[in-house]
Amino acid sequence: MLLLSACTGNQAKFNVKVLHSEGATVNVINVASGDIIVSLAGDVENDELPLAGKADKNALLAVQKEGDSWQTLFFNDGTPITVDLADRSLKGSPMNEKLTAYDLDMNAIDNDYDKLVSEFRALAPEEQQAGVEDFRAKAAALDDKYEGKIKEIVNDNKDNLIPAAFVNLIAQTLDESETEAFFAADAPYAKHPATLAVKEELDSQKARMAEIEAAKQASIGKKFTDLEEPDTDGNMHKLSEYLGQGKWVFVDFWASWCGPCRAEMPNVVAAYEKYHPKGLEIVGLSFDNDKEAWVKAIKELKMPWIHLSDLKGWQTVASDTYNIKSIPSSMLVDPEGIIVARDLRGEALGAKLAEVFGE
C-alpha cells in the first residue's frame, strides 16, 4: 500500500483534446517505453476527440494518429492541451507550446534537406557534376541551421525540461566538451529520466569504446591474426598470403555504405600511389553485405589494391578478430607481420608512411 501510494503521488492526469482525427484511432504514447497509455477511435462526425489518463509527472508523452509517423510531443505537466492533427499545432502550457514550435522548426529543416537531396539525385549525371559545389554549399548551410537550432534549444531552455525531448539529437550534434557540459548542467532537463537514460547509454558506450581501444593498442607490437575471406571473384584468400611476406601492408577496414570511409579514401589512394612503388601494399577488408555495392564502390573510388569480404556486414570475421566496432579503421603491418600502428587516418597516415619509406 505504501508503494502504491508513493507511485500515485508521482503521477499526474493528462487531458488531451484532439482535432481533425478524420475518424482515425489516436493514441497517447509514453515516449520512453513506447507503450500506448490510452487509445480512442475517431469519429468522422465529431471533430473533437477527448483523451485522458495518468502518467508520471512531467513524463514525455506523444499524441499520434495511427498510420501517421508524426508525433506531437508534450510533457505531462498537468495542463490540458489541444492538438490539431491538421497543422500539427499544440495549445497548452507555455513550455509545451514552445516544445512544439521547436519540433516543427526541426522538422522543417529536415524536410528542406530531404528536398535538396531528392532534387539533386533527380538530375542527370552531367548536371550533378556541374551542380555538386552548389549542392554541397546548400547542404552545409542546412547543417549549420540544424546545429544552430539545437544549440538554441540548449542555451535558451536551461530553466525547463525542453532539452530532454531532444536529448538524442543534442548528443549527436554537440562536440564532446559541449555534450559533457550539457549533461553536467544544474538544470531541470538534466535530471529528467529521458536525459539520464541517454547519459547512461553514452557512458556505457564510452566505457565499451575505451575497452576496445585498449585491446587495439594491446595488439601493437604483436603478430597479426590470420583470417580468410573471398575476393570480388569469390576466391578465398588468407591474410597470411599478403602479411608477413616481406612487405609493409596497410589493412583498411571500410564499407561502401560508410560515409567517413569514402571521405577518407582519397587520402588512402594518394598514399598508395606514392608508396606502392616503394613496396607498400594495401588489403581492404570490407564490412559490406551487398556485393554489387561493394564492387561498385571499389571502381568508383579507384582502389586498385586487394579486396576481401565475406559480405556479412558487422558480423564479418574481421570485426571480432581485430576488435573493429566502428569504421573506418586500419592497421599498419611491418614486413615480418607485426602490427606497428592502428587507426591511421589523414595526416597521421602520411606521416607514418613517410617515416617508414622516406619522402
Side-chain angles (χ1 to χ4, degrees):
M1 291 178 64
L2 287 173
L3 181 62
L4 179 61
S5 176
C7 181
T8 304
N10 288 328
Q11 291 204 324
K13 294 180 180 179
F14 60 81
N15 287 281
V16 181
K17 181 167 66 175
V18 177
L19 305 179
H20 299 125
S21 64
E22 299 178 340
T25 297
V26 180
N27 304 318
V28 174
I29 301 167
N30 184 311
V31 174
S33 65
D35 294 335
I36 295 175
I37 303 173
V38 63
S39 181
L40 194 61
D43 184 350
V44 292
E45 296 182 0
N46 185 357
D47 192 48
E48 294 187 5
L49 190 63
L51 291 151
K54 282 186 177 181
D56 287 346
K57 176 71 173 177
N58 289 325
L60 183 60
L61 308 180
V63 176
Q64 184 174 26
K65 181 172 71 174
E66 288 193 358
D68 188 357
S69 61
W70 179 260
Q71 293 184 334
T72 300
L73 302 175
F74 69 97
F75 288 101
N76 187 32
D77 58 8
T79 302
I81 66 171
T82 298
V83 174
D84 190 330
L85 297 177
D87 61 8
R88 298 175 173 177
S89 64
L90 177 148
K91 293 188 181 300
S93 66
M95 180 175 66
N96 279 325
E97 290 183 4
K98 195 176 182 182
L99 166 61
T100 298
Y102 281 131
D103 211 5
L104 291 172
D105 286 346
M106 297 295 294
N107 186 62
I109 298 172
D110 284 337
N111 288 340
D112 287 344
Y113 199 96
D114 290 343
K115 181 181 179 182
L116 177 67
V117 172
S118 296
E119 290 177 347
F120 182 75
R121 287 177 175 172
L123 297 174
E126 60 274 13
E127 292 176 311
Q128 287 187 353
Q129 186 173 2
V132 66
E133 292 303 322
D134 181 60
F135 168 77
R136 287 173 178 168
K138 290 179 178 178
L142 286 172
D143 286 339
D144 290 342
K145 187 176 181 180
Y146 186 93
E147 182 177 347
K149 182 58 67 172
I150 287 292
K151 290 185 176 181
E152 178 187 334
I153 291 170
V154 174
N155 295 328
D156 293 354
N157 295 280
K158 296 184 183 298
D159 61 346
N160 61 61
L161 300 174
I162 287 176
F166 300 95
V167 62
N168 282 300
L169 299 180
I170 290 168
Q172 293 167 16
T173 304
L174 301 184
D175 64 29
E176 186 174 355
S177 62
E178 290 171 330
T179 301
E180 288 181 359
F182 170 79
F183 285 112
D186 184 18
Y189 69 75
K191 303 174 182 65
H192 192 273
T195 304
L196 295 174
V198 172
K199 184 179 186 302
E200 183 179 359
E201 176 59 26
L202 289 176
D203 288 345
S204 178
Q205 290 178 6
K206 193 172 182 179
R208 290 197 299 270
M209 292 305 296
E211 292 177 0
I212 292 168
E213 183 59 29
K216 285 184 180 181
Q217 293 303 314
S219 70
I220 295 175
K222 297 181 180 178
K223 189 176 178 63
F224 75 94
T225 301
D226 208 2
L227 57 80
E228 187 175 30
E229 292 187 321
D231 61 19
T232 56
D233 294 322
N235 300 313
M236 299 300 294
H237 292 276
K238 292 183 176 182
L239 270 185
S240 54
E241 295 176 36
Y242 315 106
L243 278 60
Q245 300 298 320
K247 288 189 174 184
W248 284 88
V249 182
F250 181 72
V251 181
D252 188 28
F253 304 95
W254 73 292
S256 67
W257 47 260
C258 168
C261 301
R262 297 180 75 105
E264 173 66 11
M265 207 55 69
N267 183 56
V268 179
V269 171
Y272 183 81
E273 291 175 347
K274 184 174 183 178
Y275 294 108
H276 179 62
K278 297 183 179 183
L280 175 69
E281 295 291 351
I282 296 181
V283 176
L285 297 182
S286 171
F287 282 54
D288 275 279
N289 49 27
D290 183 327
K291 183 174 182 179
E292 183 178 349
W294 174 43
V295 174
K296 181 181 179 183
I298 292 171
K299 293 178 180 178
E300 287 179 344
L301 298 172
K302 300 177 181 179
M303 303 155 63
W305 48 80
I306 302 149
H307 291 279
L308 306 176
S309 180
D310 53 16
L311 298 175
K312 293 182 179 179
W314 284 107
Q315 279 65 54
T316 177
V317 64
S319 177
D320 287 338
T321 303
Y322 288 104
N323 286 299
I324 307 300
K325 305 304 177 186
S326 65
I327 52 176
S329 186
S330 64
M331 61 185 187
L332 184 64
V333 182
D334 75 7
E336 286 70 46
I338 304 300
I339 300 170
V340 299
R342 297 290 301 257
D343 294 337
L344 294 170
R345 296 174 65 180
E347 294 182 1
L349 174 59
K352 186 63 178 180
L353 292 178
E355 177 188 317
V356 171
F357 293 102
E359 290 293 342

